[in-house]
Structure formats: structure tokens, C-alpha cells
């Protein structure tokens, strides 16, 4: 999810946090009230900051989650997902996408464009 959309979709973020808590995830970090903010990564040469939507731990392994919602800036979302996928592969973390009804086709389309169609979506 892009930074401007965070306030617009706060209910989806709450549902995602609830889902993660129900499935045994701990140490949840999210840019939301009452939670710690996940670590941001700044692209060198530009001022673009990439922050995962949710970061949580389960059984000692870190999981990085991003919420796939329709956006006016799909290229920015694609580059964010590619970066988070590469980062999670380098550090032996897990990268997963969370999406909700009405956004499945958009999310699947973006994943196919960047050849990440092997990713299983968490549908809330």
C-alpha cells in the first residue's frame, strides 16, 4: 500500500492485524496507532522511502507483509514488492501479500507483470 492510502484503508489494516494475531504472529510492527513502526529503507540517489505495511514474527522467523490494494501508482507498488521480495530472500525472511475483496484482480495483475505469480495471497 502506498503511504497516502494508509488513512483511507485503516479498517483493512485493522483486519490484517487481527488476522495475524489470530494466526500466531507476534511482535507485530505496523505504521498504525499503538504499534511500533517497521524499518524503512531509502533508495539511494532518490528520496523514495520504502516501508513494509506489516512486519511480524512467527516461530522465530520474520515475515514481511504488504497490502495489495488498487492504486493510482502501480509502478511504485511493483517496485516496492520487488524490493521487499528480494530483501526477504536475501535475509531468509518470508514475504507475503494481503489483499481483500475487490482488489484480487488488480493484485494478481501486478504480480503477473513482475513475475511474482508464485506468491500466495492472504485473502481477508
Amino acid at each position: 500500500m502506498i503511504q497516502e492510502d494508509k488513512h483511507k484503508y485503516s479498517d483493512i489494516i485493522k483486519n490484517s492485524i487481527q488476522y495475524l494475531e489470530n494466526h500466531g504472529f507476534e511482535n507485530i510492527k505496523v505504521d498504525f496507532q499503538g504499534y511500533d513502526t517497521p524499518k524503512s529503507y531509502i533508495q539511494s540517489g532518490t528520496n523514495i522511502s520504502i516501508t513494509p505495511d506489516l512486519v511480524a514474527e512467527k516461530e522465530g522467523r520474520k515475515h514481511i507483509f504488504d497490502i495489495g490494494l488498487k492504486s493510482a501508482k502501480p509502478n511504485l507498488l511493483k517496485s516496492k514488492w520487488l524490493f521487499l521480495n528480494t530483501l526477504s530472500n536475501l535475509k531468509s525472511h518470508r514475504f507475503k501479500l494481503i489483499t481483500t475483496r475487490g482488489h484480487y484482480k488488480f493484485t494478481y495483475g501486478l504480480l503477473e507483470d513482475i513475475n511474482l505469480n508464485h506468491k500466495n495471497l492472504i485473502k481477508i
Side-chain angles (χ1 to χ4, degrees), residues 1-122:
M1 180 183 337
I2 298 178
Q3 198 69 13
E4 300 110 35
D5 298 337
K6 286 199 187 281
H7 301 293
K8 186 177 174 183
Y9 295 111
S10 62
D11 56 334
I12 295 173
I13 294 173
K14 289 177 189 175
N15 290 341
S16 300
I17 294 169
Q18 183 78 31
Y19 175 87
L20 294 179
E21 288 173 345
N22 291 342
H23 283 82
F25 286 92
E26 302 168 340
N27 196 15
I28 297 173
K29 294 181 182 179
V30 60
D31 192 8
F32 201 67
Q33 293 175 336
Y35 292 92
D36 293 335
T37 304
K39 181 179 179 181
S40 293
Y41 303 92
I42 299 174
Q43 185 176 0
S44 61
T46 63
N47 289 335
I48 296 174
S49 173
I50 297 175
T51 306
D53 291 333
L54 297 134
V55 176
E57 290 181 10
K58 184 176 184 180
E59 299 173 356
R61 180 159 290 189
K62 188 183 254 187
H63 294 258
I64 299 172
F65 298 93
D66 205 64
I67 300 175
L69 301 174
K70 292 178 185 174
S71 172
K73 300 177 183 177
N75 288 336
L76 191 60
L77 204 52
K78 288 178 194 177
S79 62
K80 179 181 179 182
W81 291 352
L82 280 173
F83 172 75
L84 292 175
N85 185 56
T86 305
L87 179 72
S88 63
N89 287 338
L90 286 173
K91 296 193 173 196
S92 298
H93 300 327
R94 298 287 183 258
F95 174 60
K96 297 182 181 180
L97 288 169
I98 299 173
T99 190
T100 186
R101 188 167 183 237
H103 301 273
Y104 297 150
K105 186 175 181 182
F106 175 79
T107 305
Y108 278 123
L110 287 182
L111 288 175
E112 283 185 16
D113 290 347
I114 57 177
N115 294 326
L116 286 180
N117 44 4
H118 64 280
K119 291 286 177 195
N120 293 329
L121 296 178
I122 298 173

